[in-house]
């Protein structure tokens, strides 16, 4: 038996972010906590969203004390501000970090405690969370359409998977991504590609998600280079937002082995999540290819591989090379550039192996020896 869950309402396309005020009003919100980051505020990306909130007659308080890899302390601070000023709803606006903190704060508001208690569903959310509307400003994480969140446990320096709560409404507006710089555009786009590939090949793959995943792979492969090269190209941004949204809908947990490696690097070197994913996506695909060649042959075709051969392994390898080339053509830093050396391999191995959630989503086991080999190979290639 399969299970598939979606955010009840998804609005996407140019201008959809201006529905934020109406969506909150329809949910009965009178004073909303806006969870965002300072970069989104300073760039003015959030302005049309806040205008719609004002126009709807809804008061708002902004929480923007966030970082690239938010911790349980950021979640606690957001929940505290919500309660101290008397908010009755949450509006997440930003990349995955903002959206994940918004969802996680909703959990604390509903049931109390620390967000670390909710890792991998260890503690259930039994209370009633506040109304939640999510507005992504990147085409990447898909956080707006899934219930899970990734929050760093600062005591362990470990990026944990939190079973949080889904939004009631997701507003996916490509116009909000038009000023996103090339680096974050690339990293976010590769993250979305990894979600789609992971959804199609993970241990939790399912027929209903397959079509969305393959569609997302094709869209992202086609439009990411244009979005990176010409950030003001609304068509490219629109197609990338659609691709990232489709990838987010298709994934149940998010990524597989590539995400376990990425989270290890993110936790120890505090880099953008998508950068970590980009550095290990092809290597994870290579590890999994021999165990499910037919699936990776379909992925290769979606990536644009044109070949007369029916050899699934050969097609899969060609698809992996497409991913390597795509990453190489993007402004993604190398492992040495973010500070990773051979001396860091033992610590990274421990972090990867501790990520039972994402390794559990991988279709085949990733042993300690596999982890060490992949890390050494990635460093040598860098």
């Amino acid at each position: 038996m399969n299970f598939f869950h979606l955010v009840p309402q998804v609005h996407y396309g140019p201008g959809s972010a201006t529905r934020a005020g109406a969506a909150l009003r329809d949910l009965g919100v009178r004073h909303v906590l806006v969870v965002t980051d300072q970069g989104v505020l300073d760039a003015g990306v959030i302005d049309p969203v806040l205008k719609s909130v004002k126009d709807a007659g809804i008061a708002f308080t902004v929480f923007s004390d966030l970082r690239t890899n938010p911790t349980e302390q950021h979640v606690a601070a957001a929940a505290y501000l919500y309660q101290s000023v008397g908010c009755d709803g949450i509006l997440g606006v930003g990349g995955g970090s903002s959206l994940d903190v918004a969802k996680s704060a909703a959990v604390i508001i509903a049931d109390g405690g620390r967000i670390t208690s909710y890792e991998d569903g260890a503690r259930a959310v039994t209370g009633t969370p506040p109304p939640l509307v999510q507005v992504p400003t990147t085409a990447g994480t898909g956080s707006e359409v899934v219930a899970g969140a990734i929050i760093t446990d600062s005591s362990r320096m470990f990026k944990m998977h939190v079973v949080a709560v889904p939004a009631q409404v997701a507003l996916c507006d490509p116009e909000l991504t038009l000023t996103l710089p090339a680096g974050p555009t690339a990293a976010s786009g590769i993250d979305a590609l990894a979600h789609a590939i992971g959804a199609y090949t993970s241990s939790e793959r399912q027929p209903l998600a397959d079509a969305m995943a393959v569609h997302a792979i094709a869209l992202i492969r086609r439009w990411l280079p244009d979005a990176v090269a010409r950030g003001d190209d609304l068509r490219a941004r629109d197609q990338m937002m659609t691709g990232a949204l489709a990838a987010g809908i298709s994934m149940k947990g998010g990524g597989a082995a590539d995400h376990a490696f990425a989270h290890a690097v993110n936790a120890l070197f505090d880099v953008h999540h998508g950068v970590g994913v980009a550095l290990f996506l092809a290597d994870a695909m290579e590890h999994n290819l021999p165990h499910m060649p037919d699936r990776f042959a379909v992925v290769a075709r979606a990536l644009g591989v044109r070949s007369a051969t029916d050899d699934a392994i050969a097609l899969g390898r060609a698809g992996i090379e497409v991913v390597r080339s795509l990453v190489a053509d993007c402004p993604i830093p190398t492992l040495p550039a973010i500070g990773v050396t051979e001396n860091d391999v033992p610590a990274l191995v421990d972090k990867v192996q501790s990520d039972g959630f994402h390794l559990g989503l991988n279709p085949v086991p990733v042993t300690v020896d596999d982890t060490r080999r992949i890390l050494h190979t990635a460093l040598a290639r860098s």
Side-chain angles (χ1 to χ4, degrees):
M1 182 183 297
N2 289 306
F3 172 77
F4 200 84
H5 181 87
L6 285 178
V7 169
Q9 291 187 37
V10 179
H11 303 260
Y12 65 104
S16 56
T18 60
R19 286 193 48 81
L24 290 166
R25 185 180 58 219
D26 291 346
L27 291 168
V29 176
R30 292 171 296 177
H31 185 173
V32 67
L33 179 72
V34 180
V35 179
T36 188
D37 67 71
Q38 198 59 45
V40 170
L41 280 173
D42 293 343
V45 175
I46 200 172
D47 291 353
V49 181
L50 294 182
K51 181 179 185 302
S52 76
V53 173
K54 292 176 185 176
D55 291 347
I58 298 170
F60 65 87
T61 298
V62 175
F63 175 82
S64 61
D65 182 20
L66 288 180
R67 54 186 286 184
T68 299
N69 296 293
T71 71
E72 81 284 357
Q73 296 165 3
H74 297 98
V75 175
Y80 175 79
L81 180 60
Y82 176 100
Q83 293 164 329
S84 64
V85 300
C87 292
D88 57 358
I90 301 178
L91 173 63
V93 185
S97 297
S98 298
L99 305 188
D100 281 2
V101 168
K103 284 185 286 189
S104 300
V107 169
I108 302 306
I109 293 160
D111 273 330
R114 291 164 57 86
I115 198 63
T116 51
S117 302
Y118 297 84
E119 183 177 0
D120 288 337
R123 177 174 172 178
V125 181
T126 58
T128 302
L132 174 62
V133 175
Q134 299 276 54
V135 184
T137 60
T138 66
T141 67
S143 180
E144 66 277 4
V145 290
V146 295
I150 301 296
I151 301 294
T152 299
D153 180 344
S154 59
S155 66
R156 293 183 291 161
M157 287 301 291
F158 177 72
K159 296 193 74 170
M160 59 183 181
H161 170 255
V162 174
V163 179
V165 294
Q168 282 77 40
V169 181
L171 305 173
C172 305
D173 190 338
E175 291 183 345
L176 300 189
T177 69
L178 287 170
T179 59
L180 190 68
T185 295
S188 299
I190 297 296
D191 186 30
L193 179 62
H195 293 157
I197 293 173
Y200 193 72
T201 60
S202 81
S203 62
E204 293 192 346
R205 61 192 180 275
Q206 57 171 288
L208 188 60
D210 282 353
M212 291 287 253
V214 173
H215 179 57
I217 292 167
L219 277 180
I220 294 166
R221 170 64 186 96
R222 165 64 183 84
W223 292 101
L224 180 57
D226 287 355
V228 171
R230 298 186 298 278
D232 59 352
D233 184 338
L234 182 57
R235 186 182 182 198
R237 294 292 194 176
D238 188 28
Q239 294 297 307
M240 278 301 302
M241 183 64 79
T242 303
L245 178 59
I249 291 171
S250 70
M251 70 171 176
K252 292 179 66 177
D258 53 89
H259 271 54
F261 282 89
H263 287 166
V265 170
N266 297 151
L268 295 180
F269 296 90
D270 198 28
V271 295
H272 188 289
H273 168 66
V275 169
V277 172
L279 293 172
F280 292 102
L281 176 56
D283 292 316
M285 293 171 67
E286 197 163 47
H287 176 76
N288 294 334
L289 170 62
H291 305 277
M292 49 191 341
D294 291 342
R295 285 254 155 183
F296 278 100
V298 174
V299 169
R301 296 294 193 193
L303 286 166
V305 173
R306 298 290 175 261
S307 173
T309 183
D310 291 326
D311 184 328
I313 289 286
L315 282 169
R317 285 176 179 152
I320 291 169
E321 290 309 309
V322 170
V323 171
R324 290 198 194 282
S325 296
L326 182 61
V327 172
D329 290 342
C330 285
I332 301 288
T334 63
L335 284 168
I338 63 175
V340 181
T341 70
E342 289 286 347
N343 294 333
D344 299 306
V345 169
L348 288 169
V349 170
D350 289 343
K351 292 293 183 189
V352 172
Q353 287 295 307
S354 297
D355 194 343
F357 174 73
H358 287 101
L359 291 185
L361 287 173
N362 204 62
V364 297
V366 181
T367 67
V368 171
D369 288 342
D370 293 331
T371 303
R372 191 179 296 112
R373 171 181 51 78
I374 290 171
L375 286 165
H376 284 308
T377 300
L379 274 165
R381 184 179 296 111
S382 295

